[in-house]
Amino acid sequence: MPQPPLRVFLALGLGAAGLVATLVLALVASRVASQRLEARIEAELADVAGTLAGRLDRGLFERWRDMIILAENDSIRDPAVPVERKRRVLRRAQETYPDYALIGLVGADGRIAATSTGALEGVEVGHREYFTKGRDRPFVGDVHDAVLLATLAPRRPGDEPQRVLDIAAPVRGDDGRLLGVVSGHLDWTWARAAEASLRETSGAMRDVTALVLARDGTVLLGPGALTHTILPAVLPSVAAARDGRSGTAAETWADGKRYLTGYRPTKGYRDFPGLGWTVLVRQDAGTAFASVEDLRRQILLWGLVVATAAAGIGWFAAGLLARPLRRLAVAAAALGRGDAVAVPASAVREAQAISHALTVAAEALRRQEEERRAADARQELLIHELNHRVKNTLATVQSMARQTARSAASLDDFTGSFEARLLAMSQTHNVLTANHWEGAGLRGILSAELEPYAGGRPDRIRLEGPPVSLTPAVALPLGMAIHELATNAAKYGALSAETGQVAVEWQVGPGTLSLRWRESGGPPVAAPARTGFGTRLIRTSLERELAGEVRLDFAAGGLACLIAVPLAARAEAA
């Protein structure tokens, strides 16, 4: 089954990625925008509730101040002023604010002395709450049916009973004596007018219903089916308002519908304490959030449009990328076969990067081939060198065996001396092996040969000099020479005594290593009667093999040996 071209994969991938990214972005934007719009709607509904509560509080405050001002009127306070004149004062107050159903002056005896219309004068009202409480301080009573006022104008069938709020203030003489109580009976249509005015100002909010609840939860103002009923305190809005909080709540009411309800308790205004009312402004949740759902649909619709456009752009972008990639794939296949490749360039940055990478890979493969050939040549050279070193080592061992046998007094003497010299050679070999036979440090060779004779006392051996790296051709003969000097010191020289010490100092000059061996603290030294094998080995290995120089000084205080070896010349020969 043929594989789809790269363009299809890239187009599908880019289109799907663009589609998913755009849809996710649209969903996130829809969620964020919806939350903000919902918050704004809720805030607007809470503001409407707060506005209505404020209007009610300020309206009652103004009527409350009306009664206080009337109680301070000189015509009202003066008992000698005729009733007709007092009646005119009360009438002017009612004309100033027509929502009063009646304004009256009740005498100290509890009888109505004068009213704004002349009605009900002489009626006993001393038992009414607005009189009993209005004698002591300004008073505002809650909404109730207007019993006396209903007798003045009998209502027609179907009309709602007139409802009023009683507002009163004490009238006192200059001596503080109670002269009576001035009372205004505010028609409840005042609150309905405030609610209607608010509905006009919030006309953008559809199907908004305002409710005013008394302190006990009785609906004073609201839809006809709810008026005079008590709303349950389980409603979140009612419970929150009773706790003195303001805000908005989405809740299900008794009719089974879900509403968004703004709530605000009335708190009075200035020195008017308020009546403890609660204002609720509710709106059907579907209607309230209709704009939110419309916004979500629009965002998702535009998201789909943008995602489709992104998929089309992805298709064309995939074509731009696929063409240079196909050319690069052909070049990579040729490179894999080992053919000479001219990697094509591309205007696409990523394809250009791949082109550059293939060019670098081709160059790397060429270098690796050259390095492999060079490595093969080096390996062949190393094999020849190893054969040469093995032959030299065997020749050295053969020479050591022959010379040791000549100077050995017995078979045991030969065995001990020969094994010691082989061990010295192997120690130097170990140092060279640790450095892959590329060289050995002088200090390492000296430490390997002398530490076994120190007896755990670092003060017996002193090594001092700069770091020096020796080639294998120099390290092996010099190691053998140091071994012979150490063996001689252990048998006859400084290392044979407890107080003996050996100091080895060296320095590097132009192409030459100068090493000085000094012994001290050992038994007295005298020049030997004949030249032993150790001396011959030192001179042979250093003077003949390395073209160096060896000077032995058999001073009484201890043997001294000066060695000079040309490093550079031997390194080149090696």
Side-chain angles (χ1 to χ4, degrees):
M1 180 178 179
Q3 295 293 325
L6 177 62
R7 182 176 186 180
V8 174
F9 283 111
L10 289 176
L12 291 177
L14 292 175
L19 181 64
V20 171
T22 305
L23 289 178
V24 170
L25 183 61
L27 290 174
V28 172
S30 172
R31 182 176 181 82
V32 172
S34 299
Q35 289 176 345
R36 291 182 179 179
L37 185 57
E38 289 176 2
R40 183 172 64 81
I41 293 172
E42 293 174 357
E44 288 179 355
L45 208 57
D47 288 343
V48 171
T51 300
L52 180 56
R55 288 186 182 184
L56 294 176
D57 277 335
R58 283 192 296 272
L60 285 179
F61 165 75
E62 291 169 359
R63 306 291 75 77
W64 187 61
R65 294 291 296 172
D66 288 346
M67 295 302 103
I68 294 176
I69 292 171
L70 274 177
E72 296 293 332
N73 187 278
D74 291 336
S75 297
I76 297 297
R77 295 174 63 232
D78 190 354
V81 173
V83 173
E84 180 59 32
R85 185 176 173 183
K86 293 183 178 182
R87 193 180 292 137
R88 285 199 304 271
V89 172
L90 298 175
R91 188 182 304 117
R92 283 198 299 270
Q94 183 171 0
E95 291 172 353
T96 302
Y97 195 77
D99 284 334
Y100 283 115
L102 186 71
I103 300 178
L105 173 64
V106 182
D109 59 354
R111 291 184 177 276
I112 299 176
T115 64
S116 56
T117 62
L120 301 179
E121 292 179 352
V123 176
E124 169 64 36
V125 293
H127 61 286
R128 296 299 180 92
E129 184 181 27
Y130 66 84
F131 178 76
T132 58
K133 293 186 177 180
R135 291 182 303 181
D136 300 325
R137 63 182 63 83
F139 166 77
V140 178
D142 215 331
V143 183
H144 64 87
D145 292 340
V147 179
L148 285 177
L149 293 177
T151 62
L152 301 179
R155 62 189 179 94
R156 292 172 297 181
D159 291 345
E160 293 184 2
Q162 186 178 20
R163 310 188 77 204
V164 296
L165 291 93
D166 297 328
I167 307 171
V171 180
R172 299 185 184 277
D174 294 335
D175 57 357
R177 181 172 56 88
L178 179 69
L179 300 178
V181 173
V182 64
S183 64
H185 304 281
L186 184 63
D187 197 308
W188 185 236
T189 55
W190 154 78
R192 297 186 184 279
E195 187 265 345
S197 174
L198 181 66
R199 188 185 299 276
E200 291 178 2
T201 58
S202 60
M205 302 185 70
R206 298 172 295 167
D207 302 330
V208 175
T209 303
L211 296 91
V212 179
L213 311 184
R215 194 185 301 273
D216 61 356
T218 302
V219 179
L220 303 177
L221 176 67
L226 295 177
T227 305
H228 307 307
T229 63
I230 297 178
L231 288 185
V234 295
L235 278 174
S237 58
V238 176
R242 286 188 178 181
D243 291 339
R245 299 196 303 271
S246 303
T248 311
E251 55 193 10
T252 302
W253 283 51
D255 58 0
K257 294 183 179 180
R258 191 160 183 80
Y259 295 92
L260 183 65
T261 307
Y263 53 88
R264 174 72 177 268
T266 60
K267 299 180 180 179
Y269 186 74
R270 294 188 182 179
D271 49 350
F272 168 61
L275 294 176
W277 290 347
T278 294
V279 176
L280 303 179
V281 179
R282 75 177 190 179
Q283 186 179 24
D284 182 84
T287 303
F289 294 132
S291 58
V292 176
E293 295 300 325
D294 183 59
L295 176 63
R296 286 176 179 167
R297 285 192 296 271
Q298 290 187 23
I299 291 178
L300 289 176
L301 177 62
W302 281 107
L304 288 173
V305 172
V306 174
T308 304
I313 294 173
W315 172 264
F316 290 106
L320 293 176
L321 182 59
R323 282 191 294 272
L325 288 180
R326 282 196 298 269
R327 293 196 296 267
L328 290 174
V330 173
L335 183 62
R337 294 191 300 268
D339 300 339
V341 177
V343 181
S346 174
V348 180
R349 178 182 298 178
E350 288 73 12
Q352 183 64 32
I354 298 174
S355 175
H356 176 70
L358 288 176
T359 302
V360 172
E363 181 63 23
L365 288 175
R366 184 187 62 79
R367 287 198 305 269
Q368 288 176 3
E369 179 63 21
E370 293 177 355
E371 291 173 358
R372 184 186 63 79
R373 293 174 182 174
D376 291 343
R378 285 197 302 271
Q379 184 176 9
E380 184 177 358
L381 178 62
L382 287 174
I383 291 173
H384 289 305
E385 183 179 351
L386 179 60
N387 291 334
H388 176 68
R389 286 179 179 174
V390 170
K391 291 178 180 179
N392 287 344
T393 302
L394 291 176
T396 301
V397 171
Q398 183 181 17
S399 176
M400 279 195 307
R402 185 168 55 251
Q403 294 295 333
T404 303
R406 288 179 182 175
S407 60
S410 63
L411 180 59
D412 291 339
D413 184 23
F414 167 78
T415 303
S417 299
F418 186 64
E419 287 181 351
R421 290 184 175 106
L422 283 179
L423 180 60
M425 182 181 291
S426 68
Q427 288 175 339
T428 305
H429 274 248
N430 289 338
V431 175
L432 288 169
T433 302
N435 291 276
H436 307 288
W437 279 80
E438 294 178 356
L442 176 59
R443 184 180 293 272
I445 294 174
L446 293 173
S447 298
E449 295 293 346
L450 293 176
E451 281 183 0
Y453 301 101
R457 291 171 50 192
D459 59 317
R460 302 198 70 187
I461 306 297
R462 182 168 65 86
L463 305 178
E464 184 174 346
V468 181
S469 180
L470 305 176
T471 64
V474 176
L476 285 171
L478 187 59
M480 292 297 297
I482 296 299
H483 171 72
E484 293 301 328
L485 289 173
T487 303
N488 183 74
K491 289 181 177 180
Y492 314 109
L495 297 180
S496 65
E498 288 293 327
T499 58
Q501 295 179 340
V502 172
V504 183
E505 301 171 353
W506 67 92
Q507 57 186 3
V508 179
T512 303
L513 169 65
S514 297
L515 184 144
R516 182 178 181 83
W517 172 286
R518 290 186 303 168
E519 300 181 19
S520 60
V525 176
R530 62 184 182 88
T531 301
F533 172 69
T535 303
R536 293 197 305 273
L537 179 61
I538 292 173
R539 293 188 181 278
T540 300
S541 60
L542 298 181
E543 292 180 346
R544 295 182 183 178
E545 292 186 24
L546 301 182
E549 181 182 355
V550 178
R551 286 188 295 171
L552 295 172
D553 182 8
F554 295 95
L559 174 67
C561 179
L562 179 62
I563 299 173
V565 178
L567 297 177
R570 291 302 302 172
E572 293 174 1

